[in-house]
Amino acid sequence: MSVFKAVEVFKDIWWVGAVDWAIRDFHGYATHRGTTYNAFLITGGKLTLIDTVKAPFKEEMLSRIASVADPKDIDIIVSNHAEMDHSALLPDMVELCRPAAVYASKMGARALAEHFHGDFATVVKSGDRVDLGGHTLSFFETRMLHWPDSMVTYLAGEQVLFSQDAFGMHLAGYERFADQVPEHLLKQESLKYFANILNPYAPQVKGLLDKLPSLGVAPKLILPDHGPAWRDGDDRIVQWYRDFATPTPSRKVVIAFDTMWGSTDKMARAAAEGVSAAGGEPRVMPLKACHRSDVATELMGAGGFMVGSPTLNNHLYPTVADCLTYVKGLRFTGLTAAAFGSYGWGGEAVKQVGDALTDMGCTVVEPVSVRFAPDQDVLSQCAALGRAVVERIPG
Ligand code: FEO
């Protein structure tokens, strides 16, 4: 008899997921606190599995299911999202259960067919319902939250929302409910998750939150695919998402940089002094010590972004290129930005950083660059650059 048991999170709804204590890199996002892959089993009618887990956790999921019902008796599978941390085991489950149907959105069915080279999903669209005999599933497509295929599943009678990646966070633990976790931890990890997963689609997040009541979706229990569930009408995460999706640029200035021989480091420190002197809040993030996904998290609600790079072989420094590439994809808006850096012979990096910041849609202030090492005059220019960034933040 396995030690892995299902956890009943609501009458007839069981958590049958897995805890990944070890993961520290989730497609480029540093998951310092691990994660969970949440799959759910619905009993009391047609046995239904909502999503699966990442492939290495197959036995854990099957054992949890087996503590409630024979996995072979699963009649319906819902795939809310085709990304591999939730769908990797679908072919295995189809083989094992021969379910009456695997439901997915149109884009989801296509993604699954192309990924697994097999056409096994039945397409559902927003508003479609499936009677399980005791419970009724409703489906709502949530395109671009965070993939084109994404959808959520709702039990209207019970007011339970299976929200897939939305309202989730990467947080390993035995606490199945948010009210068992300190709020500061919930807020930090949900902010980091939003910054690194959902921020490119912040307008769609706001649109969906505004639209949910008109769709008749008023959940009292939210069951995301990662992290703890939100029960008894606990809607803190919904309120936080509203705030995350509509940030007001603050006087926080993120200063991300790397250094070869210490000159760009000195320039960053001087810039931080200028930011602080102007009433801003510098966040100094040396890229040897700070992960790109933590830079992204700090950019949530920031008004300023200063990026420093030495020139290496006529190009910007690799860690800086990495950070800029990553952050660009997350589409932060409304940033006032500046480039700075030192160089030995070429000096191309500062212009390249400035171009990247312009390309990101930032309002870019004139840069500061110096050959070899900054003297007091150059450090004063860096401090003035920090002040200029703060003063040009709107509002
Ligand atoms: Fe949790 Fe988009 O996968």
Side-chain angles (χ1 to χ4, degrees):
M1 182 67 80
S2 170
V3 298
F4 295 107
K5 309 290 187 199
V7 179
E8 192 169 28
V9 292
F10 195 83
K11 185 177 182 307
D12 293 340
I13 302 176
W14 304 80
W15 178 79
V16 291
V19 183
D20 189 345
W21 299 97
I23 189 169
R24 290 295 180 270
D25 183 325
F26 192 97
H27 57 51
Y29 163 174
T31 45
H32 299 300
R33 293 189 169 96
T35 196
T36 63
Y37 310 110
N38 300 334
F40 300 95
L41 191 70
I42 304 176
T43 56
K46 290 178 186 169
L47 196 59
T48 300
L49 180 65
I50 310 279
D51 291 321
T52 66
V53 301
K54 199 171 170 184
F57 299 91
K58 177 180 174 182
E59 292 310 315
E60 185 172 336
M61 183 189 78
L62 286 175
S63 296
R64 293 192 197 278
I65 294 171
S67 72
V68 177
D70 187 337
K72 291 189 183 124
D73 292 339
I74 289 171
D75 201 35
I76 303 285
I77 299 177
V78 175
S79 174
N80 278 327
H81 179 29
E83 198 161 7
M84 290 297 100
D85 48 333
H86 311 297
S87 70
L89 295 178
L90 279 178
D92 288 15
M93 294 307 290
V94 168
E95 175 90 20
L96 177 71
C97 317
R98 303 282 168 198
V102 176
Y103 293 114
S105 69
K106 183 178 174 184
M107 300 291 268
R110 196 171 101 188
L112 294 171
E114 291 179 357
H115 197 96
F116 296 116
H117 310 293
D119 201 3
F120 55 77
T122 301
V123 172
V124 287
K125 57 186 188 311
S126 285
D128 282 357
R129 291 165 172 252
V130 171
D131 185 356
L132 302 180
H135 306 286
T136 303
L137 303 175
S138 304
F139 305 104
F140 298 97
E141 292 180 72
T142 54
R143 282 192 183 195
M144 305 318 296
L145 297 177
H146 68 114
W147 274 12
D149 67 285
S150 299
M151 70 174 194
V152 298
T153 300
Y154 190 54
L155 291 179
E158 299 82 351
Q159 293 179 269
V160 174
L161 178 68
F162 299 92
S163 64
Q164 48 98 14
D165 277 342
F167 306 127
M169 68 187 71
H170 289 310
L171 181 63
Y174 272 86
E175 297 79 10
R176 296 274 66 82
F177 297 101
D179 54 49
Q180 299 166 321
V181 180
E183 183 166 278
H184 70 90
L185 193 53
L186 296 170
K187 200 158 188 186
Q188 176 60 28
E189 292 304 329
S190 57
L191 177 74
K192 183 167 188 180
Y193 188 90
F194 193 99
N196 287 279
I197 302 280
L198 290 160
N199 195 63
Y201 313 106
Q204 289 94 326
V205 170
K206 186 175 176 305
L208 178 69
L209 293 177
D210 291 343
K211 199 169 147 194
L212 281 179
S214 68
L215 296 172
V217 178
K220 287 189 174 163
L221 173 63
I222 299 173
L223 298 170
D225 275 357
H226 300 287
W230 304 79
R231 65 181 167 185
D232 300 331
D234 183 350
D235 67 351
R236 286 176 291 169
I237 189 71
V238 178
Q239 302 305 325
W240 294 344
Y241 265 44
R242 280 193 192 285
D243 295 342
F244 299 160
T246 52
T248 307
S250 69
R251 292 166 86 79
K252 177 168 75 168
V253 177
V254 176
I255 304 173
F257 68 97
D258 209 337
T259 194
M260 282 174 71
W261 296 104
S263 291
T264 306
D265 177 90
K266 286 179 186 164
M267 297 172 82
R269 289 163 181 270
E273 291 292 316
V275 168
S276 180
E281 300 161 33
R283 297 284 188 276
V284 180
M285 305 193 80
L287 293 171
K288 286 191 203 326
C290 301
H291 194 267
R292 64 176 94 84
S293 57
D294 292 317
V295 173
T297 307
E298 281 293 354
L299 283 171
M300 291 291 290
F305 188 29
M306 301 183 74
V307 180
S309 179
T311 297
L312 177 66
N313 298 328
N314 306 108
H315 286 280
L316 44 77
Y317 210 62
T319 48
V320 179
D322 173 293
C323 181
L324 286 170
T325 299
Y326 184 77
V327 162
K328 181 184 175 190
L330 295 173
R331 297 188 214 165
F332 292 94
T333 57
L335 290 168
T336 301
F340 61 92
S342 75
Y343 61 96
W345 306 106
E348 293 88 346
V350 169
K351 180 176 185 313
Q352 291 169 6
V353 170
D355 290 347
L357 293 170
T358 301
D359 205 27
M360 284 170 55
C362 302
T363 301
V364 182
V365 178
E366 272 299 299
V368 173
S369 69
V370 65
R371 187 165 177 178
F372 295 117
D375 59 12
Q376 283 306 317
D377 181 51
V378 171
L379 294 178
S380 295
Q381 291 175 41
C382 293
L385 189 65
R387 282 197 298 276
V389 167
V390 173
E391 284 162 6
R392 293 191 201 185
I393 294 170

